[in-house]
Amino acid sequence: MPSLQQIDQLQADYLEYLADLANLHGVSLMALMQNLGFQTSINLRIQESGVRSLNV
């Protein structure tokens, strides 16, 4: 079983990969994550508040 430090490093590596992918496609990391269906705490707060998110 991986240690918490290994899990943290894997998550950091994955986030860096996603940021690089977003950059290659010329979109923000948030836009990429939304298009991939990620539910972030920011997205959930927006949905709960009833505010429509901007498509950037």
Side-chain angles (χ1 to χ4, degrees):
M1 188 159 119
S3 70
L4 290 178
Q5 186 177 13
Q6 289 170 318
I7 292 171
D8 286 344
Q9 185 60 52
L10 288 171
Q11 288 176 334
D13 291 345
Y14 184 60
L15 191 56
E16 185 177 351
Y17 167 77
L18 288 176
D20 289 343
L21 185 62
N23 188 43
L24 284 172
H25 287 279
V27 298
S28 70
L29 178 57
M30 183 63 76
L32 176 71
M33 292 175 72
Q34 288 174 340
N35 286 331
L36 292 174
F38 282 69
Q39 288 295 316
T40 66
S41 59
I42 294 170
N43 289 343
L44 292 175
R45 282 187 212 133
I46 290 171
Q47 290 172 2
E48 289 170 359
S49 69
V51 175
R52 294 180 61 185
S53 62
L54 298 176
N55 292 327
V56 178

